[in-house]
Amino acid sequence: MNTDSEKQDRFEALARAYGADLYRFGLWLCGDEALARDLVQETFLRAWRALDSLKDEGAAKSWLITILRREWARTFERKTPGFTNIEALELEDADEPAPEERLEREQLRGAMLSLAPRYREPLLLQVLFGYSCEEIASMLGIGKGAVMTQLFRAREQVKEKLQRDGLTGNLNERF
Amino acid sequence: MNASEFEQALGAAPRETAEARRTGDADPARDAAVADALAFEDRLEAALRVAVDEEALLAGILEVQKADRNSDAVSPDPDSAPERRGLPGWLAMAASVFVIAGVVAVLLWPSPPPQDLGEYVRSHYLHDGPDVLARADQGMEAGEVDALFAALGAEAGPEFTAGVRYAKFCPTPDGRGAHMVLGTSEGPVTVIYMPNIEVDGPVLLEFDDVQAQVVALSRGSAAIIGAGEGAMRELKTRLETGIRPLAADA
């Protein structure tokens, strides 16, 4: 196997392993499916160009997330994304939820998109990628205490929004 | 950890807190709170972990990467240029004459459009054409359009730029191009600018009830997709007069 095909195989393995989660991360960051696809494509294009600099395969996931976050920041600098209407997104569930679960998921998604970016981003890193507070703090370049505060408030706001949007009753009992 | 600290930790990191509690003292109230928090986490994760067409996503990633690889192949890196070896003077002169004759022949010989151009336009449009078209109402600032064309070695006149409703980089059969939505008197129309694809004249394409035309520009070509007759004429003129090579590349 020559170096070119090894590099290509390595690239494709990364795209297969992390493409879907990066897409979901991008989707919940920007609230736009087509823009999320562009973000992922641009992320992997930049990763391809810099692939030789990735020495530790174990660091690939956080490296790719960093590239995507930078790309998103650049997009955000160029243009303030418009209001995201959750109903405009054509999202499919990975499983087959019951009707009431489906409604609940739609409300959770809407609540997620209504969060300010500083709350939404750490929550996504934690829920989608399973990062610890310490790891998130390192990725975002802020203290662990600040991350914990943001995560706590993020969850509180999601729950409050669900309550306002019709999921009444004791949320602690429901969830 | 007191009650308040526990509540904060559970709200910030439910799974980490639950893991930590496995080795802690038994406390039914806290166990119940952890169970509630974990149930919420499961629901939140299920909501965010939407289904993804992974093969289509991978195909899009590889399409862009392949275009970049091709682009690298036609743009040699000056740092990796092979070492030159000297030729005897007479041989160098003969070689020069041969090369010049070859270049003249290539320039005079009409080159057919790439055989896969039609397939590229079709598949690219079907891949995300309608999605991109739907984003035309986002609008583009002139500076963004200028930066995009500059990255492709081209520049667009202000009148052309004003008509760009949306634009993004996209792969083409030879390097990167621009997937645009241009406003016309008949509504928004998709145009794919391909700076490295030369065609001799208009190339007509038709697929799935969509009509397209690839027109030659001063640098590269552009595919106008799904325009009516009037909009097609309007866009041809705008593209031919509105896009030119960057001054340094001209």
Side-chain angles (χ1 to χ4, degrees):
Chain A
M1 188 185 284
N2 64 36
T3 308
D4 274 356
S5 67
E6 276 176 4
K7 185 177 176 186
Q8 182 66 31
D9 289 348
R10 191 179 175 212
F11 176 76
E12 289 190 27
L14 287 178
R16 280 188 189 282
Y18 302 117
D21 274 343
L22 284 171
Y23 170 79
R24 292 185 187 102
F25 183 52
L27 175 68
W28 297 116
L29 279 184
C30 70
D32 183 304
E33 292 150 293
L35 185 53
R37 271 198 300 276
D38 285 354
L39 277 173
V40 171
Q41 288 178 359
E42 197 61 31
T43 296
F44 277 101
L45 180 60
R46 289 175 186 276
W48 162 253
R49 288 172 178 166
L51 194 56
D52 293 336
S53 69
L54 177 67
K55 304 298 180 198
D56 174 12
E57 220 67 20
K61 186 166 76 170
S62 60
W63 180 63
L64 289 166
I65 291 171
T66 302
I67 298 174
L68 189 142
R69 290 183 60 241
R70 283 191 190 138
E71 193 54 33
W72 167 236
R74 269 192 286 271
T75 304
F76 207 90
E77 273 169 19
R78 289 196 296 265
K79 183 200 301 284
T80 304
F83 174 74
T84 300
N85 180 2
I86 185 69
E87 287 166 9
L89 294 176
E90 292 178 13
L91 303 177
E92 286 182 26
D93 290 295
D95 54 5
E96 291 183 8
E100 64 273 19
E101 272 181 307
R102 185 172 294 127
L103 175 66
E104 193 175 271
R105 285 183 191 181
E106 280 171 20
Q107 287 174 314
L108 277 165
R109 288 164 183 158
M112 193 71 189
L113 285 174
S114 73
L115 288 178
R118 70 178 183 282
Y119 294 135
R120 198 186 324 161
E121 197 169 1
L123 190 54
L124 290 172
L125 289 170
Q126 191 182 51
V127 175
L128 288 178
F129 296 105
Y131 283 120
S132 68
C133 294
E134 207 155 327
E135 288 168 324
I136 295 169
S138 166
M139 292 176 88
L140 301 184
I142 56 179
K144 184 182 170 187
V147 167
M148 291 189 72
T149 302
Q150 287 172 350
L151 287 167
F152 180 82
R153 288 184 183 160
R155 284 192 175 81
E156 287 296 298
Q157 288 182 17
V158 167
K159 289 174 184 174
E160 282 167 17
K161 176 123 182 35
L162 291 181
Q163 214 156 17
R164 280 200 306 274
D165 287 354
L167 281 180
T168 54
N170 186 338
L171 279 169
N172 286 333
E173 279 176 15
R174 185 174 182 95
F175 296 111
Chain B
M1 191 184 287
N2 64 33
S4 170
E5 287 168 344
F6 174 75
E7 191 187 343
Q8 291 283 330
L10 191 60
R15 297 202 193 281
E16 284 179 65
T17 308
E19 191 62 30
R21 263 207 65 71
R22 290 175 64 177
T23 55
D25 296 335
D27 181 334
R30 288 191 179 189
D31 288 344
V34 166
D36 281 345
L38 291 181
F40 178 76
E41 286 307 289
D42 289 343
R43 284 174 161 83
L44 183 61
E45 187 172 344
L48 299 182
R49 202 166 285 285
V50 293
V52 178
D53 184 344
E54 297 193 24
E55 288 308 312
L57 186 71
L58 183 66
I61 291 167
L62 295 179
E63 190 184 10
V64 172
Q65 180 240 357
K66 186 179 163 197
D68 193 64
R69 283 186 74 166
N70 290 343
S71 172
D72 287 346
V74 296
S75 309
D77 178 358
D79 294 331
S80 61
E83 191 180 331
R84 286 166 187 261
R85 292 207 176 97
L87 284 176
W90 65 270
L91 190 52
M93 187 177 291
S96 300
V97 170
F98 185 74
V99 168
I100 290 168
V103 168
V104 169
V106 166
L107 288 176
L108 295 179
W109 198 266
S111 58
Q115 288 181 347
D116 58 352
L117 184 57
E119 180 49 33
Y120 158 74
V121 171
R122 176 184 176 278
S123 64
H124 187 81
Y125 180 74
L126 294 179
H127 173 60
D128 69 351
D131 277 354
V132 174
L133 201 57
R135 288 152 71 183
D137 57 355
Q138 290 185 9
M140 288 286 281
E141 288 177 16
E144 294 177 78
V145 181
D146 291 344
L148 184 141
F149 276 101
L152 298 174
E155 60 184 344
E159 284 181 22
F160 180 87
T161 302
V164 178
R165 307 269 288 273
Y166 183 78
K168 65 165 190 160
F169 290 117
C170 71
T172 78
D174 187 357
R176 287 213 289 184
H179 186 151
M180 300 180 279
V181 178
L182 301 183
T184 75
S185 53
E186 297 174 9
V189 172
T190 298
V191 172
I192 299 174
Y193 173 53
M194 300 171 284
N196 300 321
I197 301 291
E198 305 286 347
V199 294
D200 290 332
V203 178
L204 299 176
L205 305 169
E206 192 165 345
F207 51 87
D208 304 339
D209 295 331
V210 177
Q211 293 200 326
Q213 195 172 135
V214 183
V215 295
L217 304 178
S218 55
R219 180 180 174 191
S221 58
I224 306 167
I225 307 170
E229 209 172 306
M232 188 70 82
R233 270 199 306 275
E234 183 185 331
L235 284 175
K236 272 178 73 174
T237 306
R238 277 162 58 184
L239 286 160
E240 284 163 358
T241 58
I243 299 179
R244 36 187 193 273
L246 267 181
D249 290 355

